[in-house]
Amino acid sequence: MQHSALKSDFLLVLVTLLAATSWVFSREALTGIAPLQFIGGRFLCAGLILGAFGYSALKQLAGESWLRALMTGVVMGMAMCFWIMGLYHSDNMGIGAFITSLSVVFVPIVGRFLFATRTPVSTWVAMAIALVGLACLRLEGGFALSVSDLFFLAAALMLSLHFNLNSRYAVRIASLPLTAIQLSMTGLLALAMSALLEAEAVNLTGSLLGWLIASIVIGTCMRFFLQVKAQGMVSASHAAVIMTLEPVWASLIGVFLYAEQMTGLQLIGCCLIFSALLVSRWRFLLRRPACS
């Protein structure tokens, strides 16, 4: 039992590292590929690869399961389109990662307003802390959210909606076919939006192709496969606590690879947002069951 718990925790930490490195792959690919073209190609290829492995399971899905998977895939697609546009306009990967991680705090709040689920007091406390942290990120020189901030916030909201929909409408669908359908739907949606909004032709050089392949294989296929495997070994709430490490890794990578810097106030803001993520999951950190 203890060995299984350690294995799942190790896999989840590895997932957060893969997710953080995916920011680097995407950032490098965006130097020569339009953002929606990139995210569309990346997720469609990843979805087709996973679909090939889960072909027999896909054939067994009923019509209602397909509808639910496609619906959640559209929401995931919107989230990833917002995220890639945020990264495209961003000048600080670490700040973007912390803003996007607010999806963990938004999950119970979105569930409250859309599905009338119970929201614990800790969630509202976490939200207040997160708002102060967000303000600290952009207070210097007068509070003003940048274009990238708004895209990252929109991505966080859509990711929290995707989590809620997955928990309610897709819980009975096998993980592999569900992931394949959602990734493919994300790719198709992004490519459709790219056809409408982007006129740039893709001119793949050797390095760009390398970053794209790394994004598909490591940042998408491997990451989501290990995430699904690890989440099947622990509770979703326990997994969510460990997943809060992603913005920490992304910030450290931004510092070492891109020499990104943060002011003292921005560091305080990141610490507050990270604290908010932990507060939103404090019951699971302390292993206390929620009151009914």
Side-chain angles (χ1 to χ4, degrees):
M1 189 76 173
Q2 185 178 6
H3 175 73
S4 178
L6 288 174
K7 181 179 179 181
S8 64
D9 286 355
F10 170 78
L11 287 176
L12 286 169
V13 171
L14 179 59
V15 166
T16 63
L17 282 168
L18 293 177
T21 57
S22 180
W23 285 74
V24 176
F25 302 152
S26 299
R27 181 166 175 169
E28 293 295 332
L30 289 180
T31 59
I33 309 176
L36 294 176
Q37 286 178 339
F38 164 71
I39 206 71
R42 167 185 166 181
F43 274 78
L44 181 58
C45 289
L48 292 176
I49 292 172
L50 292 181
F53 284 104
Y55 180 69
S56 59
L58 282 170
K59 290 195 301 182
Q60 298 174 7
L61 287 184
E64 184 179 359
S65 295
W66 269 97
L67 181 61
R68 291 179 176 180
L70 290 172
M71 180 179 65
T72 53
V74 169
V75 176
M76 182 183 187
M78 294 174 65
M80 297 314 300
C81 286
F82 283 133
W83 173 77
I84 198 63
M85 292 304 297
L87 183 60
Y88 179 70
H89 291 284
S90 176
D91 57 1
N92 193 304
M93 192 171 69
I95 289 178
F98 273 100
I99 294 176
T100 306
S101 69
L102 287 174
S103 60
V104 174
V105 180
F106 292 158
V107 165
I109 297 174
V110 170
R112 167 72 175 179
F113 285 105
L114 293 185
F115 304 105
T117 56
R118 178 182 175 274
T119 305
V121 175
S122 59
T123 297
W124 299 110
V125 174
M127 187 63 183
I129 296 173
L131 288 174
V132 175
L134 183 60
C136 288
L137 292 180
R138 295 304 181 193
L139 267 179
E140 290 180 307
F143 180 77
L145 293 175
S146 67
V147 172
S148 63
D149 293 341
L150 294 175
F151 275 124
F152 285 134
L153 277 173
L157 282 171
M158 294 307 297
L159 286 171
S160 66
L161 175 59
H162 176 258
F163 187 93
N164 275 281
L165 291 176
N166 255 357
S167 300
R168 285 161 179 79
Y169 301 143
V171 67
R172 296 182 181 178
I173 306 174
S175 298
L176 185 55
L178 173 62
T179 305
I181 293 172
Q182 290 185 345
L183 294 183
S184 299
M185 194 65 209
T186 296
L188 290 172
L189 178 65
L191 289 175
M193 293 181 65
S194 174
L196 293 174
L197 302 174
E198 297 173 339
E200 303 174 38
V202 179
N203 183 22
L204 283 180
T205 63
S207 66
L208 285 178
L209 182 60
W211 291 118
L212 179 60
I213 292 174
S215 295
I216 294 169
V217 177
I218 300 174
T220 310
C221 290
M222 189 180 298
R223 171 204 171 173
F224 280 100
F225 174 77
L226 291 177
Q227 185 171 328
V228 167
K229 180 178 178 64
Q231 285 181 336
M233 302 167 66
V234 296
S235 68
S237 298
H238 178 76
V241 172
I242 298 178
M243 293 296 288
T244 59
L245 287 173
E246 178 184 342
V248 178
W249 300 135
S251 296
L252 292 175
I253 290 173
V255 170
F256 286 109
L257 286 187
Y258 300 109
E260 292 181 349
Q261 296 181 348
M262 294 187 193
T263 65
L265 191 59
Q266 288 175 328
L267 285 173
I268 292 173
C270 289
C271 289
L272 286 172
I273 290 176
F274 185 67
S275 298
L277 303 183
L278 299 181
V279 168
S280 69
R281 298 299 184 199
W282 72 276
R283 292 183 184 277
F284 307 100
L285 286 171
L286 300 177
R287 299 187 181 278
R288 295 180 180 178
C291 299
S292 57

